[in-house]
Amino acid sequence: MITEASAIVSRLEALLGPAFVTVSDTARWTVEGIVPRAAVWPGDAEQVAAVLRVCAESGAAVVPWGSGTTMEVGNPPRAADVVLLTDRLSSVVDHDASNLTVTVQAGIRLATLDAALASHRQFLPLEPPRADAATAGGAVAVNLNGPRRVRYGSARDLIIGVRAAQTSGEVTKSGGKTVKNVAGYDMGRLFVGSLGTLAVITELTFKVLPLPETSETVAVWSSDAVRLAALAGRITDSPLVPSAVVFVNPAAAQGLGRDNAGLLVRAEGVEPAVVRHRRDITAWAAEAGLASEALTGDAEAACWRRIRDFGWTGEPVAVRLTVPPGQTWSTIEHLDTSLPAATRVAADPGTGTVWLGFVDADEAVQVLPALDGLVTRAGGHRFLVRAPLALKAVGDVWAPPPAPPALGIMRGLKQAFDPQHILNPGRFVARP
């Protein structure tokens, strides 16, 4: 906890200039009910590192903040004295279009990056919730991957280089700007999903891909989830390579203008490949007696935005279950008989990811123990992604807790990177 607020503010103003430090109107950066005492806007990686060093010396808890789209993810922090905003770190540092890599500062908005890449017919398949407003650094730190993960990989797979500021005042670098760079340890991936508890990411290098020539989604609707599961299995066993396959239950389908459960299959690439996906999936659906439709253009984009933003579209509680992919459909079947009827479900069978959206927080409290038992038996995990503070206070938002060897390693990393425990203290697994 910060000890001498006026002294640290003076030191921060000397580092950054008074224009980039404020103690006024800090309630707009409230984190889980905690109002910070100050906010700072460093202009480069070295200034970020200098701010962290000053805060570590003063015992001030630091909250890295990109655009704030996912600040409620994780355990509530124990303290939040200084909000470190990355607004001024918002540039494309280097775009090597011929080698399909891009280096950006952590505070760049993904929408801005998408526009820059699109001018070269390239894209970055990073799809966190509310991606239109999210920053690159925030998306990597929270590591909530979107529906196209099954085709393009996760944030961890897309990163090839990271620069990060440490609480020691140093700026470290891992990886490089070429895809085959293998020099040294790949330390940068430690920061993926760490929720800003180890260091502050200042720069990222990503692999990018050629923009698909075309895109189309086949939506198959039915009141019989078993037949949708069979269709999904047939697609998996076929030569087709869809970029996303997602199941939605009837409650989730209502947000897409439907009443029945659905299977959404997205195909991207050259025109002949996309046409084959539509032809084969439509034919297989018809053989199974299932209705299907093709979505393109704005209708397709709106559908996948809804899936991407699942958990951020009005429900007070969002839970993510992760199970072995082979157990996704059995998990869905169990949930169908054990969840309140209004609970929304969206599942990616290719990655074993099942999202639940609860419209009633009290109902979520009642079923969490059963969910924990379900994922434990399956060898998976439960993550309470978004919830009121009262629900988070019941216990760790992650379950089951890491096994002792893994937990010991995680605590050792926290101690090595942040010995004063000033970076988002308490926010990560087991509240370090």
Side-chain angles (χ1 to χ4, degrees):
M1 175 64 69
I2 189 171
T3 52
E4 298 180 12
S6 59
I8 189 175
V9 168
S10 296
R11 293 183 66 186
L12 293 172
E13 288 179 340
L15 277 174
L16 308 179
F20 300 111
V21 180
T22 186
V23 294
S24 302
D25 193 23
T26 57
R28 56 183 153 157
W29 298 294
T30 298
V31 182
E32 301 281 30
I34 304 174
V35 179
R37 301 193 186 189
V40 298
W41 289 266
D44 56 35
E46 288 68 29
Q47 286 191 347
V48 174
V51 167
L52 294 182
R53 185 185 66 248
V54 168
C55 290
E57 292 170 353
S58 304
V62 179
V63 176
W65 188 295
S67 59
T69 56
T70 52
M71 289 304 296
E72 67 270 56
V73 176
N75 290 309
R78 290 192 298 269
D81 297 312
V82 176
V83 170
L84 191 156
L85 297 138
T86 61
D87 297 25
R88 297 173 66 199
L89 307 176
S90 58
S91 300
V92 175
V93 177
D94 177 65
H95 180 203
D96 189 345
S98 60
N99 285 313
L100 295 172
T101 65
V102 65
T103 300
V104 298
Q105 292 182 305
I108 192 170
R109 300 293 178 100
L110 290 178
T112 302
L113 176 56
D114 286 345
L117 293 173
S119 65
H120 294 270
R121 298 293 301 167
Q122 295 176 353
F123 79 114
L124 174 66
L126 197 61
E127 298 178 301
R130 302 174 65 190
D132 298 337
T135 62
V140 169
V142 79
N143 195 31
L144 293 176
N145 299 284
R148 291 192 288 184
R149 177 185 175 183
V150 70
R151 171 78 180 271
Y152 300 114
S154 66
R156 191 181 302 273
D157 301 308
L158 296 168
I159 291 172
I160 59 174
V162 176
R163 289 186 78 204
Q166 312 289 330
T167 59
S168 63
E170 299 173 293
V171 178
T172 58
K173 179 181 178 181
S174 173
K177 296 183 180 180
T178 56
V179 173
K180 293 185 179 180
N181 189 316
V182 293
Y185 293 106
D186 193 359
M187 299 292 288
R189 294 192 182 190
L190 284 174
F191 307 135
V192 180
S194 66
L195 297 178
T197 60
L198 298 178
V200 176
I201 298 169
T202 60
E203 188 176 286
L204 293 153
T205 300
F206 295 102
K207 295 183 291 185
V208 296
L209 293 97
L211 201 63
E213 178 183 306
T214 189
S215 175
E216 187 170 321
T217 294
V218 178
V220 183
W221 307 101
S222 175
S223 58
D224 188 347
V226 173
R227 286 196 288 173
L228 294 176
L231 176 61
R234 187 168 184 179
I235 294 169
T236 299
D237 293 338
S238 77
L240 301 182
V241 186
S243 58
V245 178
V246 172
F247 165 83
V248 292
N249 76 337
Q254 290 178 5
L256 302 173
R258 289 284 180 164
D259 295 323
N260 285 334
L263 189 70
L264 309 171
V265 186
R266 185 175 192 176
E268 294 177 297
V270 296
E271 183 74 25
V274 172
V275 169
R276 180 179 178 181
H277 278 74
R278 182 208 317 139
R279 182 192 66 215
D280 290 356
I281 296 169
T282 300
W284 296 338
E287 288 176 17
L290 301 171
S292 64
E293 63 176 325
L295 303 177
T296 59
D298 291 343
E300 181 186 35
C303 170
W304 289 109
R305 275 197 304 272
R306 185 81 182 184
I307 299 299
R308 180 200 70 191
D309 294 344
F310 192 100
W312 272 261
T313 53
E315 56 280 286
V317 179
V319 176
R320 186 187 69 189
L321 309 181
T322 306
V323 298
Q327 298 192 41
T328 307
W329 288 105
S330 61
T331 300
I332 292 170
E333 183 179 3
H334 181 89
L335 294 172
D336 185 51
T337 59
S338 60
L339 290 176
T343 306
R344 301 194 305 121
V345 178
D348 178 350
T351 62
T353 305
V354 182
W355 282 86
L356 311 176
F358 292 89
V359 297
D360 188 318
D362 292 334
E363 290 181 341
V365 172
Q366 294 171 11
V367 302
L368 276 180
L371 293 177
D372 292 351
L374 175 64
V375 297
T376 299
R377 290 190 297 273
H381 302 276
R382 183 268 296 160
F383 180 19
L384 185 61
V385 180
R386 294 183 66 243
L389 273 174
L391 181 50
K392 285 189 174 185
V394 173
D396 200 315
V397 299
W398 284 273
L407 184 57
I409 292 171
M410 293 166 66
R411 286 175 169 163
L413 288 169
K414 174 66 172 177
Q415 185 64 30
F417 279 92
D418 180 20
Q420 288 82 23
H421 288 218
I422 65 162
L423 283 170
N424 270 335
R427 193 174 177 196
F428 199 50
V429 177
R431 305 179 187 272

